[in-house]
Amino acid sequence: MHRLRHCRGLACVFSPSAQSALKLKNNIPLASCSGLVSYCWGSRSSHQGQSSYYYSSWRPRLRYVLMSLVAGTGAVVAYGLHQSERAAAAVPQTVSLPVYTQEEVMKHCSLDKGIWVTYNGDVYDITDFVAIHPGGNRILLAAGGALEPFWSLYAVHRQEHVQEILSGYKVGVLQAEDCKKQEAANLVDPYSTDPPRHPALIVNSLKPFNAEPPPGLLTDSYITPSALFFTRNHLPVPQVDPNKYRLKIEGLPSGTMSLTLNTLKSNFPKYTVIATIQCAGNRRSDMSKVKPVKGLNWGFAAIGNATWSGARLRDVLYHCGFGPEVAAKARHVQFEGLDCDVTGMPYGVSIPLNKALSEEGDVLLAYEMNGEELPADHGYPVRVIVPGVAGARNVKWLGKVVISEVESECHWQQNDYKGFSPGTNWDTVDYKSAPAIQELPVQSAITQPVDGSLVDRRMEEVNVKGYAWSGGGREVVRVDVSVDGGKTWHVAKLRDNGEDEFPAPSPQPGRAWAWKLWEIAIPLPEGAEVLEVVCKAVDSSYNTQPDSVPPIWNLRGVLCNAWHRVKVKVN
Amino acid sequence: MHRLRHCRGLACVFSPSAQSALKLKNNIPLASCSGLVSYCWGSRSSHQGQSSYYYSSWRPRLRYVLMSLVAGTGAVVAYGLHQSERAAAAVPQTVSLPVYTQEEVMKHCSLDKGIWVTYNGDVYDITDFVAIHPGGNRILLAAGGALEPFWSLYAVHRQEHVQEILSGYKVGVLQAEDCKKQEAANLVDPYSTDPPRHPALIVNSLKPFNAEPPPGLLTDSYITPSALFFTRNHLPVPQVDPNKYRLKIEGLPSGTMSLTLNTLKSNFPKYTVIATIQCAGNRRSDMSKVKPVKGLNWGFAAIGNATWSGARLRDVLYHCGFGPEVAAKARHVQFEGLDCDVTGMPYGVSIPLNKALSEEGDVLLAYEMNGEELPADHGYPVRVIVPGVAGARNVKWLGKVVISEVESECHWQQNDYKGFSPGTNWDTVDYKSAPAIQELPVQSAITQPVDGSLVDRRMEEVNVKGYAWSGGGREVVRVDVSVDGGKTWHVAKLRDNGEDEFPAPSPQPGRAWAWKLWEIAIPLPEGAEVLEVVCKAVDSSYNTQPDSVPPIWNLRGVLCNAWHRVKVKVN
């Protein structure tokens, strides 16, 4: 008896059927599902077709692989399965396999007819794998065609163990002529036009590019230099000609409006905010130490503080005709980037309308970062800056703004960047049950001393430095630091944009967008051989960081804001 | 060598002087300091006058007393010093003491001349005690006069150990004639006109009245019945004649405006919000288990959820002339209650102006609670409701609203209701260093099962219920519950104002003022003999509660929002 699982997070739901192959409900054409992605783990399904690789035979191995595999948005993974056995059900290499034409492969592009793909001249029937693909049914985009363009986009797949999994689904080979055609097409690397990067960056993923600076550099400067600002790209960096650039505004009574870069710069007052942007996955590596999670293995430097200048989104919206008529119905502002996947699907998310419209929300259509044109990696020519809100909503290479009654339907709004209980696993997760991450919780981390370093006992003191920030414009009002693992606490000195003698005036409540740097010299406890240095910040709502990671662990490894801990030896 | 301590929280600062008695800086007359209160602990000072009771002789005892003593705002204390030794320096009972007239006592009303007071026919020189009075220099209000009127107001003093401390300062007796006069005057109990209360309330302090309902009742109803709503009074309940009631609005170009109750009801649209109000000291009893704190020993029911109706503060302010001219300078809105201490000093606090003015702030001048006139204990006839903000800012018996460039100078804004690091003690506390508590952090608690109760193993499940709420309009989006002390977690079902089948529509982001009730049935872990039931809530900013109390402990015992824990036995 096979129990088919209902993937609650999917708009396209796999219908339970004991006899048939997995089907999309109502036979929705696959193409229409391209924007709908979910992660369906551990589905138990059978397929009576020619490649009957039962879930049961995969189970022990998949359990391990799936825990360490990473979603299809270009994330990097530590497979942790270097010596895995080959799939039990894999077709033996010695068996002579049928030869298929590209045309024949293309016919297998639905769950009804089976999902076939080609890779490196071989043909695979991955129908059974669809439901357990770590990247969700985004895999269906490749149905009937070659995997190479997608694996170029999501380079995480280019690993031995992924190919090993694939090999279990091999059903034939592609005829030589079609192989040649594919090879010619596959020569184009979508990342070939990505910009050069600073060599100091620690790269988490090259394609798409995801990197953070060495954390020690963060606290050297209140304003993070653009070249060292963490980069979180979901797709290749788009090439944008500033003269041809148009920002489209939709959902207003006047229809689609189209603004040139020059219009944005000339027709609207220029505002500047200092705002910290943090990736919702910052410190994921702390979470994956507890239990594997899915996502880029960020350290604690996926955060930076910059000066952003541009037109206010609210000014542009009112200019384009936003008024009471729209306000009566609209609730969200959707953003689309100019960065697209191979099917032309752009990066997209949304924010609540009241954040976009509020004078105190300070949402900018920024064309400058730290007083200069936006760098290519940070959204040239225009990035929406949504202060106090997760990096994912600060859409780079902004192409479109849509006023809407509903949230963005895109993957990154609906099926990613959400938080779940530690008790939620890939079998029970329901993406609809959690709100999209907008404001981030209070955060802090220690940039000095470095974990594992030595402190000289003769110094009598240990100097501790770090950053602290909170979402929603809530100012960090205190940072507590401990060198005994949290038994006793000292209050750090906070540093803002001003000088010591002339600190910057406190921002209006709810508009504290920038981080605080902090430092403190703490006397070495007598006789201590190891210091467990810990920090926790408190914001203006007196929210503070949770003590430990396990109770906030979540399967996507987002929102890691437990006390940051560093161990050093005294010698 | 005596080191005099600088009381940084005091506007009137005690000047260091090795030879002289304690002086107010610049010889500010004491009367002008009546509104300035701080807590100056452990001051080391010498006094060369006639009653030279040195700090040093008090130290061991005071250290204990001071930690458990409570500020002068009527709080109740668990002294914990039932068998304390008598003060070393106390005047022996056998010594014949001089007789003073009231007139002579009255001359000792400054630190220069010494601070004398009378109590129960005896005369005391408390000059040395001023700097270490747990209620700060508010004690100076009694200088030259009788303590009785103040001790009626702050009934915490009417305890054996307080009188024992006082006895150490006895210097004489009051002449019989003046004693009689005082007795006649002392017959008036300022609390005699307080309203009747519901007998189910658990009383923390009778004068002023501070009480909370049995926590189990909280989750019986989404709307807390008014009679069971926790009451936090700082002073006697004022008697207000609705016909003579006037709400004064100050700080606007038109000068002081005066609005009748009828004007508030008739001239402004009536708005209704469902808002949870929580005392910043809710769950203080959890904090005092870690280490003694100063304040009412609240359980976890100093919170309630009610329907509030009235005029919007912003409508009233705009009606009274608020405009750009004022907006350019003003930053705060101060509130004064009609409840006053014996000197006529009203209860007073303030909130940021942008909260008061924002359409989305929903600040009300409420004249109804749960659809009826405000009860006397909850602010009749008008209470300002500041949703999402600590109870202390929701001023009852509202008498005055002042638009201002500065925060309220009152004790409750400047020297109370602030949060500090666990490492901050009464020697190091600097009230100026911390912001006044406004928005409260995310909170939740378990109302069922009751701590220490029994669960029948045959039931197979344990039903857990509770409440969850967060400040600043941040909606509670999830409550995690554990029965194994936080090792594994289950997601509770949230309940709002709607029916199960028709839940209330989600409020606009940032306007979720009401709590969520929650419940869950969790299977009994096999073989478990004791369950440690734990809950933690997550709000829309994905802030969550800290794991444990010690790292958020603070000397005033406010902001206790660590996981709530309940232990039950399985039988």
Side-chain angles (χ1 to χ4, degrees), chain B residues 166-328:
Chain B
L166 184 67
S167 68
Y169 294 98
K170 191 167 166 182
V171 292
V173 293
L174 194 61
Q175 74 167 17
E177 194 183 332
D178 288 333
C179 277
K180 277 182 198 161
K181 281 186 197 162
Q182 277 199 2
E183 275 163 23
N186 292 342
L187 285 177
V188 181
D189 175 3
Y191 293 96
S192 61
T193 52
D194 265 21
R197 275 96 184 200
H198 195 287
L201 290 173
I202 301 161
V203 178
N204 283 316
S205 152
L206 205 56
K207 298 176 180 184
F209 188 73
N210 286 283
E212 62 191 301
L217 297 187
L218 281 183
T219 39
D220 282 349
S221 165
Y222 182 75
I223 299 292
T224 313
S226 305
L228 291 172
F229 207 94
F230 83 97
T231 300
R232 202 295 179 232
N233 294 347
H234 295 82
L235 293 159
V237 174
Q239 303 295 300
V240 187
D241 177 344
N243 296 316
K244 292 183 183 160
Y245 173 79
R246 295 292 181 275
L247 177 64
K248 292 193 176 125
I249 314 282
E250 294 184 3
L252 295 174
S254 44
T256 298
M257 304 279 284
S258 193
L259 305 176
T260 66
L261 185 56
N262 198 43
T263 305
L264 272 182
K265 290 183 177 179
S266 315
N267 291 18
F268 302 95
K270 180 178 173 180
Y271 285 82
T272 295
V273 297
I274 302 178
T276 295
I277 298 185
Q278 183 186 221
C279 178
N282 190 30
R283 298 184 57 200
R284 182 177 281 125
S285 53
D286 282 346
M287 219 166 243
S288 61
K289 282 174 202 156
V290 172
K291 208 162 69 171
V293 297
K294 218 164 64 170
L296 286 163
N297 201 38
W298 291 110
F300 56 98
I303 186 169
N305 189 50
T307 299
W308 309 94
S309 307
R312 289 199 302 194
L313 176 58
R314 73 188 300 270
D315 293 346
V316 172
L317 293 181
Y318 282 111
H319 167 84
C320 292
F322 185 90
E325 186 191 335
V326 187

Side-chain angles (χ1 to χ4, degrees), chain A residues 409-429:
Chain A
E409 293 290 348
C410 286
H411 167 71
W412 297 275
Q413 190 75 14
Q414 298 298 331
N415 297 313
D416 201 354
Y417 294 114
K418 294 189 169 190
F420 295 97
S421 169
T424 299
N425 59 36
W426 290 107
D427 278 331
T428 57
V429 66

Side-chain angles (χ1 to χ4, degrees), chain B residues 61-206:
Chain B
R61 195 169 155 231
L62 274 173
R63 192 190 160 87
Y64 197 75
V65 174
L66 299 183
M67 278 170 69
S68 59
L69 249 176
V70 158
T73 53
V76 161
V77 78
Y79 261 69
L81 189 68
H82 296 287
Q83 302 300 331
S84 77
E85 352 142 29
R86 298 191 69 81
V91 177
Q93 295 296 307
T94 50
V95 174
S96 169
L97 290 168
V99 175
Y100 295 105
T101 63
Q102 181 68 60
E103 201 179 351
E104 286 169 309
V105 172
M106 282 172 69
K107 287 176 186 162
H108 296 82
C109 62
S110 70
L111 289 167
D112 271 354
K113 298 172 186 164
I115 305 290
W116 286 18
V117 294
T118 66
Y119 183 73
N120 204 20
D122 292 325
V123 178
Y124 301 88
D125 178 350
I126 59 163
T127 317
D128 276 1
F129 184 67
V130 169
I132 52 174
H133 174 231
N137 61 357
R138 177 159 292 240
I139 199 174
L140 298 178
L141 295 171
L147 283 177
E148 279 87 347
F150 295 90
W151 287 18
S152 295
L153 210 58
Y154 309 122
V156 60
H157 296 87
R158 294 207 185 277
Q159 294 189 67
E160 191 186 341
H161 302 108
V162 179
Q163 300 198 18
E164 195 180 312
I165 295 171
L166 184 67
S167 68
Y169 294 98
K170 191 167 166 182
V171 292
V173 293
L174 194 61
Q175 74 167 17
E177 194 183 332
D178 288 333
C179 277
K180 277 182 198 161
K181 281 186 197 162
Q182 277 199 2
E183 275 163 23
N186 292 342
L187 285 177
V188 181
D189 175 3
Y191 293 96
S192 61
T193 52
D194 265 21
R197 275 96 184 200
H198 195 287
L201 290 173
I202 301 161
V203 178
N204 283 316
S205 152
L206 205 56

Side-chain angles (χ1 to χ4, degrees), chain A residues 98 117 151 161 344 562:
Chain A
V117 294
W151 286 18
H161 301 109

Side-chain angles (χ1 to χ4, degrees), chain B residues 458-535:
Chain B
R458 290 168 301 179
M459 299 301 289
E460 292 180 357
E461 287 183 329
V462 55
N463 288 309
V464 190
K465 280 187 180 185
Y467 65 75
W469 179 75
S470 189
R474 291 178 285 281
E475 188 176 10
V476 166
V477 299
R478 199 181 79 232
V479 174
D480 294 331
V481 184
S482 170
V483 293
D484 56 10
K487 286 188 200 79
T488 59
W489 296 92
H490 308 258
V491 179
K493 186 176 178 191
L494 304 182
R495 209 176 103 208
D496 57 26
N497 199 27
E499 299 300 318
D500 269 4
E501 286 180 65
F502 307 100
S506 228
Q508 201 183 359
R511 291 175 91 169
W513 311 124
W515 67 12
K516 300 270 176 90
L517 302 183
W518 54 264
E519 55 185 285
I520 183 171
I522 300 178
L524 289 178
E526 220 169 307
E529 293 180 355
V530 174
L531 304 181
E532 193 182 354
V533 190
V534 180
C535 71

Side-chain angles (χ1 to χ4, degrees), chain A residues 354 435 474 509 536 542 547-548 551, chain B residues 354 435 474 536 542 547-548 551:
Chain A
N354 62 348
R474 290 178 286 279
K536 64 179 168 84
Y542 279 103
D547 311 18
S548 58
Chain B
N354 62 349
R474 291 178 285 281
K536 65 178 168 83
Y542 280 104
D547 310 19
S548 58

